Amino acid sequence: MVLPLIGKFGLGAWSISGTITRDGKPVSWGEVDDDESIRAIHRALELGVTFFDTADAYGTGRSERVLGRAFAGRREQVVIATKFGHIYDETRRTLAGTDTSPDYIRRACEASLRRLDTDYIDLYQLHCGTDSDAESLVIRDVLEELVEAGKIRAYGWSTDDVAQAELFSGGVSAEAGPGDDLRDADPNCGETCLHE
């Protein structure tokens, strides 16, 4: 499987998620129109954007659903990064803590695949921190299993804990993931990510 060429710009899909809360407080961009969001995604594709970042917690699944609709018939043209680790109540549209247990990761991955209407996720990222090296290594092992099963292509860490991210990056599929493919496709990608 070959990744589409990724340019300097990507589209973050938190803003298309609609209203959600955490501890009774809004943690989103407010109400949105899904059809307008899809038009914006299609326009981004027309302008050459191929990298789209989302999370299962964005809109308690809504952002992934909108992307799934927008990419119908175009899946091979895009690189999708999504995240896991936050738990939520989809009916009440509220975030409700975190879970990084192996069973939860597997369930979260399957749910994201359904919402995104795809057979694979290009980059699957931990969206919350961990309490220990041991927990990080268990998560990494589960993600390696998901790579072997063809459900994800690579995985990463989406928090600011450098030490844990380095530990996480020791996995086979983290080392040979989209970052390496991106650098092969565009040697300036690393510089762009660091400086822009």
Side-chain angles (χ1 to χ4, degrees):
M1 188 179 308
V2 177
L3 286 172
L5 184 62
I6 298 177
K8 291 183 178 184
F9 300 101
L11 190 143
W14 181 20
S15 60
I16 67 169
S17 65
T19 302
I20 59 172
T21 61
R22 178 187 294 141
D23 299 324
K25 298 176 183 166
V27 289
S28 63
W29 296 82
E31 282 306 314
V32 293
D33 178 300
D34 292 346
D35 291 332
E36 183 177 1
S37 296
I38 290 170
R39 286 192 297 275
I41 293 163
H42 288 169
R43 182 64 178 138
L45 284 165
E46 289 169 11
L47 294 171
V49 174
T50 57
F51 181 80
F52 296 83
D53 177 77
T54 189
D56 61 356
Y58 294 173
T60 62
R62 183 176 182 178
S63 176
E64 288 182 332
R65 278 191 207 87
V66 171
L67 287 174
R69 285 179 51 204
F71 298 147
R74 305 171 190 219
R75 176 61 181 100
E76 62 285 340
Q77 299 172 22
V78 298
V79 174
I80 300 173
T82 194
K83 306 174 197 75
F84 68 93
H86 289 286
I87 55 176
Y88 47 86
D89 181 324
E90 196 166 345
T91 305
R92 293 177 43 215
R93 301 185 52 80
T94 185
L95 299 178
T98 61
D99 189 342
T100 59
S101 67
D103 286 343
Y104 182 79
I105 295 168
R106 292 181 190 104
R107 286 193 317 271
C109 181
E110 291 296 336
S112 287
L113 289 167
R114 280 192 303 275
R115 285 188 295 264
L116 288 163
D117 194 22
T118 186
D119 296 330
Y120 63 95
I121 295 165
D122 296 295
L123 177 61
Y124 201 42
Q125 302 163 90
L126 178 64
H127 202 190
C128 59
T130 63
D131 293 327
S132 67
D133 289 359
E135 182 182 357
S136 296
L137 291 173
V138 168
I139 295 167
R140 189 178 79 184
D141 289 346
V142 174
L143 295 172
E144 286 289 343
E145 291 172 17
L146 292 172
V147 171
E148 287 181 30
K151 295 182 184 296
I152 65 174
R153 296 188 64 207
Y155 55 84
W157 189 282
S158 180
T159 73
D160 57 1
D161 186 330
V162 175
Q164 290 298 309
E166 286 176 351
L167 177 70
F168 216 57
S169 71
V172 174
S173 298
E175 292 177 342
D180 293 331
D181 294 337
L182 298 179
R183 285 187 292 276
D184 291 343
D186 181 357
N188 298 317
C189 179
E191 288 299 310
T192 299
C193 295
L194 290 173
H195 300 294
E196 293 189 8

